[in-house]
Amino acid sequence: MSRRTGLDERLTNYGDPAFARYLRRAFAKSMGYSGQMLDRPIVGVATAASDFNNCHRLTPELTEAVERGVLGAGGLPLEFPTISLGEVFLSPTSLVFRNLMAMDVEEMIRAQPMSAVVLIGGCDKTVPAQLLGAVSAGVPAIQLVVGPMMTGRYRGERLGACTDCRRFWARYRSGEVSEPEITAVEDTLAVTAGTCAVMGTASTMACLAEALGMSLPGSAAVPAVHADRLRIAEATGAEAVRLSAAGTAPDRIVTRQALENAIRVLLAIGGSTNAVIHLAAIAGRVGLSLDLRRLNELSDSTPVLVDLKPTGQHYMEDFHAAGGVHAVLHELRPLLDLQCRSVTGETLEERLRHPPAFVDRAVIRSFDEPFQPVGGLLALFGNLAPNGAILKRSAADARLVEHEGRAVVFAGLDDLAARIDDPELDVRADDVLVLQNAGPVGAGMPEAGYLPIPARLARAGVKDMVRISDARMSGTAFGTVILHVSPECAIGGPLGLVRSGDRIRVSVKERRLDVLLTERELASRRAAVARPPVPARGYARLYAQSVLGAELGCDFDFLRRA
Ligand code: FES
């Protein structure tokens, strides 16, 4: 009874450690474990399965495979559930709950006896929440993503959630697609378990977890239903046992250099704008910050290599077959810090000694013949966004990236819903649509930045307009959409001072976003702004009082490392 085992870690405090150990083992034995099994190193398996999360449907199968790997490598796997964030089932937004899940993950890792943890997640906010929690908990951790969905078919056309969801919805709004057709399309958009089939936020974060070194090499893009996904789960379990012996805490993997490598990959894959928020939050958990001006430097020197929806043609299953993240890293090699280590202990240099066996150049281009010569994301600054805003330039209409137009302002989501399709709305194709009060405090930062083209203009064939907000945009969406404007409207940010008819100027060349008003005029409007009331209780109150701006990853102020 005197020998310390994995189960002896973090004993419940009764003022008598020997009694606590004896009691814990007695209760663990009630689950049928032998004494020898309880002496093994314990690998926690954090799962986020839920009937409100379609993407995580195969979590039980993955958990079984992870446990097989842990047992085979001499550990004892113990599964524990955490909150699950199913993107489309949460209100007001999934981002609001990312920090709640991160706290759940962190506290349960820290509170329970485990020498390492496997994090099984996938849907948009779950991987960042798990990484945030694990980094702060400081226990050796390894990420296993559930993998992307396969594509469906509609009348011979390949469809994948959720770029094609939006494309068909836009065609339905413009009258090109009928009611029965849109209903039939609904049946074919999401046809298997797994995360969205394009380079949306979930796929982006899966690739970034691999690029950061927090998941096994080659694991990000394997489809959810592929047998390799189970083999990766088994290998992840085995790796977790080795990681527990090495004792490598996540902050030794998530370094400044690893974060810059991850940003390079984000840019090269044409990844989601949401990833900028999540990487900023992860950086804050290890005492670093993600400088948006540095993002621009990296963006100007990193080509887009991957031809995937929403900006290109292909789907995640094609990306996997084409060579996946390994092929991208190989192309980016001259730009990467090769001394970064992954959870396997291997440096990137050691990993990249093995070139990919095959690369499909239709999907993953070479460094010398990229899909686009510069990175997909850009930060803009100006009197409308003193702390920055994000534009996915790879998804923007080239004719709109140098633009001046009249603002058409919506004061919030309700106003947008009430007026966007009003036939009387005074709006022209060269106007700039502005959505206010949709930032982290204002509305939980919904993915509402992809404002619909007003129905009258959509029917006339207008496909894109400049749209500006303090909201986010789904990683699966596209268009000339300027997001994450900070400071947000609800805390007095200048975007909230804009009125319909003001002139707005966007210049990607100059990295500027400005309203053509004097500072004096802005100051007089600012004096009249009232802040929204703080909710009276519960998580909503904690959130409203503690959430930081988009440039700091919308983390809570008290969760960042000082
Ligand atoms: Fe889960 Fe898209 S809904 S990844």
Side-chain angles (χ1 to χ4, degrees):
M1 206 164 68
S2 60
R3 196 163 76 82
R4 288 187 66 81
T5 70
L7 207 60
D8 292 346
E9 292 182 57
R10 306 178 194 102
L11 288 169
T12 315
N13 192 354
Y14 305 110
D16 182 349
F19 172 72
R21 187 175 306 129
Y22 150 77
L23 201 66
R24 180 175 282 180
R25 286 180 72 86
F27 279 88
K29 284 187 172 172
S30 81
M31 295 185 277
Y33 293 113
S34 64
Q36 291 90 328
M37 205 45 95
L38 294 177
D39 285 344
R40 289 180 166 208
I42 292 175
V43 173
V45 184
T47 56
S50 161
D51 285 350
F52 290 105
N53 193 333
N54 57 293
C55 301
H56 292 191
R57 180 157 62 83
L58 298 182
T59 297
E61 220 183 354
L62 285 173
T63 305
E64 200 181 301
V66 168
E67 293 184 343
R68 200 161 61 227
V70 173
L71 285 168
L76 173 63
L78 294 179
E79 181 192 352
F80 64 101
T82 67
I83 295 168
S84 185
L85 304 178
E87 184 64 22
V88 299
F89 297 97
L90 289 161
S91 176
T93 73
S94 60
L95 182 66
V96 165
F97 301 105
R98 183 204 62 185
N99 294 347
L100 183 63
M101 181 173 176
M103 289 169 73
D104 180 0
V105 170
E106 175 183 344
E107 298 303 333
M108 287 302 100
I109 291 174
R110 196 184 283 124
Q112 300 173 126
M114 62 189 80
S115 308
V117 59
V118 175
L119 311 155
I120 305 181
C123 195
D124 286 19
K125 306 304 173 296
T126 57
V127 169
Q130 289 177 330
L131 289 174
L132 287 167
V135 164
S136 292
V139 171
I142 181 166
Q143 181 79 55
L144 173 67
V145 297
V146 300
M149 287 180 201
M150 302 296 282
T151 51
R153 295 285 186 284
Y154 175 68
R155 296 186 179 173
E157 186 182 351
R158 265 175 109 191
L159 298 185
C162 212
T163 302
D164 296 321
C165 317
R166 294 171 203 288
R167 189 164 56 81
F168 269 88
W169 191 252
R171 290 177 62 197
Y172 171 64
R173 279 176 57 79
S174 69
E176 274 179 61
V177 164
S178 68
E179 186 83 42
E181 280 176 310
I182 198 74
T183 305
V185 166
E186 190 181 289
D187 290 339
T188 59
L189 287 165
V191 293
T192 72
T195 50
C196 286
V198 299
M199 192 54 84
T201 305
S203 297
T204 303
M205 290 309 300
C207 294
L208 298 192
E210 185 176 332
L212 281 169
M214 286 299 294
S215 55
L216 285 188
S219 63
V222 177
V225 295
H226 198 299
D228 279 349
R229 175 62 49 205
L230 294 173
R231 281 185 276 273
I232 286 166
E234 187 180 304
T236 300
E239 194 62 51
V241 178
R242 284 189 285 273
L243 194 61
S244 75
T248 312
D251 63 359
R252 286 176 52 202
I253 295 167
V254 182
T255 59
R256 177 182 297 283
Q257 294 79 1
L259 281 161
E260 287 218 349
N261 285 350
I263 294 170
R264 293 272 191 201
V265 169
L266 166 65
L267 295 161
I269 61 178
S272 164
T273 49
N274 283 318
V276 179
I277 291 179
H278 300 315
L279 283 178
I282 291 168
R285 296 296 184 103
V286 293
L288 300 171
S289 60
L290 192 153
D291 179 351
L292 293 180
R293 289 187 167 81
R294 178 68 181 145
L295 172 75
N296 283 348
E297 288 170 15
L298 296 175
S299 191
D300 287 340
S301 56
T302 308
V304 179
L305 299 176
V306 173
D307 184 354
L308 237 66
K309 288 179 185 260
T311 52
Q313 295 304 309
H314 299 95
Y315 295 90
M316 282 302 287
E317 65 196 66
D318 307 319
F319 180 57
H320 168 57
V325 171
H326 190 65
V328 173
L329 289 170
H330 219 268
E331 293 302 323
L332 291 179
R333 194 188 154 101
L335 302 178
L336 301 175
D337 188 314
L338 300 178
Q339 296 316 306
C340 293
R341 284 187 193 278
S342 78
V343 281
T344 64
E346 189 181 47
T347 64
L348 196 52
E349 183 171 34
E350 288 162 346
R351 173 181 177 178
L352 294 180
R353 279 186 199 140
H354 311 289
F358 166 75
V359 181
D360 182 347
R361 292 296 179 199
V363 182
I364 303 172
R365 306 284 177 85
S366 70
F367 189 81
D368 295 328
E369 291 179 84
F371 182 47
Q372 292 173 4
V374 289
L377 302 176
L378 208 58
L380 304 178
F381 299 88
N383 72 356
L384 264 190
N387 294 345
I390 295 291
L391 168 72
K392 189 171 187 175
R393 66 175 155 185
S394 56
D397 186 329
R399 292 167 307 162
L400 293 173
V401 295
E402 302 296 323
H403 185 77
E404 185 188 313
R406 189 182 64 144
V408 176
V409 177
F410 300 91
L413 294 161
D414 291 344
D415 187 32
L416 176 71
R419 293 195 298 126
I420 188 76
D421 290 336
D422 183 344
E424 301 300 314
L425 181 69
D426 178 15
V427 63
R428 303 188 299 252
D430 62 349
D431 285 340
V432 174
L433 302 180
V434 173
L435 172 64
Q436 298 171 326
N437 297 306
V441 173
M445 214 179 179
E447 291 185 336
Y450 177 67
L451 277 73
I453 303 294
R456 183 164 55 77
L457 297 179
R459 278 195 293 273
V462 176
K463 299 271 189 264
D464 196 7
M465 294 174 71
V466 176
R467 289 160 267 182
I468 304 175
S469 71
D470 47 9
R472 293 177 299 122
M473 173 172 84
S474 164
T476 61
F478 45 89
T480 312
V481 183
I482 297 168
L483 305 152
H484 309 181
V485 170
S486 181
E488 64 166 300
C489 302
I491 61 165
L495 188 70
L497 310 179
V498 176
R499 295 174 186 162
S500 287
D502 291 343
R503 304 289 297 176
I504 288 180
R505 185 168 167 269
V506 179
S507 173
V508 163
K509 231 182 276 169
E510 296 170 25
R511 315 286 190 255
R512 296 286 307 182
L513 177 64
D514 295 287
V515 59
L516 305 184
L517 295 173
T518 62
E519 191 43 50
R520 196 187 168 115
E521 174 62 20
L522 286 171
S524 81
R525 292 187 190 183
R526 193 173 288 120
V529 172
R531 296 210 176 183
V534 173
R537 62 174 298 280
Y539 180 71
R541 183 173 176 83
L542 178 71
Y543 176 88
Q545 290 177 327
S546 310
V547 73
L548 296 166
E551 74 281 9
L552 295 174
C554 301
D555 205 357
F556 288 161
D557 50 10
F558 59 86
L559 293 175
R560 287 170 67 83
R561 186 182 285 183

